[in-house]
Amino acid sequence: MKVTHPDPERDRIVRFLDALRAAEAAAVRVLAAWISVCRFDGLRGGLRAIAEREAAHAELLEERLREMGEPCSATLDDVVLDMALARFGSGSIPDEEKLALVLARYPDDASAARPIRATLEQLDHDLETREILRLVAEGEAATVAWLRAYHAGLARDA
Amino acid sequence: MLRQDPGPEPTRVIGLLDAFQAAERAGAEAVGRWIGACADPRLRGGLKVIRARDARHAALAEARLRALGGAPGARVGRELAALCGVVADPGVSDRSKLALLVGRVPVSEDGPLGRLVREVEGDAETHALLETIADDERASLRWLRTMCEALERERA
């Protein structure tokens, strides 16, 4: 179903959705690289579920953009993605260090979801996208909370 | 010498994962039909996320049970099949469907997967997989409760 978007900030919202879609799709690739060399069974299990969550987000955002009649054209910078794939796919970098790297970007569990929540608050004219983003934001916060809890558990056992 | 808990029998874990993947697959299919008949854009948005996640949970559980040497073959029980039938039925109101779904899990309970997560303790990968999936299920349930309350308020 095609949807129209009467808001004058439509372009900004579309760019945000497309950039988020590209970031989620890239995260799936980085997580797959990490899973392939991950040494901890528990971490591997969590990363598998998180990767599927990110893949679902990317798929939902792509579907929504198409319903809005917008192309999916955003991509992550190749250099940034290649560096992330090399780092998280490296068997010589400890999992603890990779967890610390991810968590350093997010000072608290809500910080990963904050830009998404800020955008959804402006979507009173597009309730379908708003509710998609609301659950995507919950998923992002849950991902950071799980990784933080696992990292803290590793530190306790060390 | 300290001995590590040997964990649950792989065949039991395979059986639990098989039942879970069948339930998630049936749930995703029923929610997909609900979306097709749903006129409320708020509900459609959230239900699309729930459907996508349930389908991926089913795929994750199937991949894990195959990694443990099993093969999927479970079918959903009569009670769950009946529930999915109501959720998929275009003649049943959104409000009734929401009330049915949120009424299955008491507000005091953490979520529908708690027991399953506890039963696979000792198999670290399956346990973490299901624990993370349970986060999604809790978020879905919270959202369904919020929507149920919103629709009740709008009706009053």
Side-chain angles (χ1 to χ4, degrees):
Chain A
M1 179 177 56
K2 274 253 186 185
V3 291
T4 54
H5 212 288
D7 192 275
E9 289 203 342
R10 181 181 199 278
D11 285 350
R12 196 181 62 77
I13 299 289
V14 165
R15 276 201 308 276
F16 176 83
L17 295 176
D18 195 20
L20 181 58
R21 177 203 57 75
E24 298 286 83
V28 175
R29 292 182 58 193
V30 174
L31 285 163
W34 188 355
I35 289 164
S36 70
V37 294
C38 179
R39 288 178 296 117
F40 296 105
D41 291 344
L43 180 57
R44 202 164 46 243
L47 291 176
R48 284 191 203 283
I50 288 167
E52 284 297 319
R53 183 187 286 154
E54 302 290 286
H57 294 172
E59 180 187 281
L60 285 158
L61 292 165
E62 180 178 339
E63 184 185 306
R64 190 62 188 149
L65 282 162
R66 292 197 194 291
E67 286 172 349
M68 294 166 79
E70 297 293 341
C72 297
S73 52
T75 53
L76 224 67
D77 184 285
D78 281 345
V79 176
V80 173
L81 182 56
D82 288 347
M83 275 175 62
L85 287 169
R87 182 173 288 169
F88 286 89
S90 166
S92 57
I93 299 177
D95 290 310
E96 292 90 329
E97 195 177 320
K98 294 174 186 174
L99 283 164
L101 270 169
V102 174
L103 294 171
R105 291 188 62 196
Y106 305 111
D108 57 76
D109 296 345
S111 54
R114 206 162 283 133
I116 306 173
R117 292 210 167 102
T119 299
L120 75 87
E121 296 303 336
Q122 301 162 28
L123 281 171
D124 285 345
H125 53 268
D126 183 351
L127 302 177
E128 187 164 334
T129 306
R130 187 185 75 185
E131 296 309 314
I132 290 171
L133 286 182
R134 195 184 303 284
L135 280 168
V136 167
E138 287 238 15
E140 295 302 310
T143 291
V144 176
W146 193 89
L147 294 174
R148 195 182 306 285
Y150 195 90
H151 188 237
L154 280 183
R156 266 197 306 276
D157 289 347
Chain B
M1 187 173 73
L2 285 175
R3 291 179 60 195
Q4 206 171 10
D5 185 341
E9 288 291 321
T11 47
R12 210 168 77 78
V13 176
I14 288 168
L16 292 167
L17 287 168
D18 195 13
F20 177 67
Q21 67 83 21
E24 291 290 274
R25 214 174 291 283
E29 197 181 312
V31 170
R33 290 202 190 137
W34 182 1
I35 293 166
C38 180
D40 187 321
R42 296 169 300 178
L43 269 178
R44 267 202 317 272
L47 291 174
K48 282 181 177 177
V49 181
I50 291 172
R51 176 188 55 179
R53 286 188 178 161
D54 284 355
R56 286 177 182 274
H57 294 166
L60 277 166
E62 183 180 333
R64 183 65 189 146
L65 79 86
R66 285 188 189 280
L68 292 169
R75 299 180 63 171
V76 296
R78 291 175 65 203
E79 194 183 344
L80 184 57
L83 179 78
C84 288
V86 173
V87 168
D89 193 325
V92 178
S93 70
D94 292 332
R95 208 170 45 79
S96 296
K97 291 174 186 177
L98 286 168
L100 182 67
L101 291 175
V102 303
R104 293 177 72 219
V105 184
V107 180
S108 56
E109 267 188 35
D110 194 26
L113 278 187
R115 189 181 57 82
L116 184 59
V117 170
R118 282 191 296 277
E119 285 193 40
V120 298
E121 269 174 16
D123 174 343
E125 185 161 344
T126 307
H127 185 257
L129 186 82
L130 291 175
E131 214 177 38
T132 314
I133 287 173
D135 287 338
D136 287 341
E137 299 286 323
R138 277 190 287 272
S140 296
L141 186 62
R142 271 197 305 273
W143 181 84
L144 289 167
R145 280 189 181 131
T146 303
M147 288 309 301
C148 189
E149 287 162 12
L151 263 57
E152 286 297 336
R153 272 197 309 275
E154 288 163 15
R155 182 172 175 250

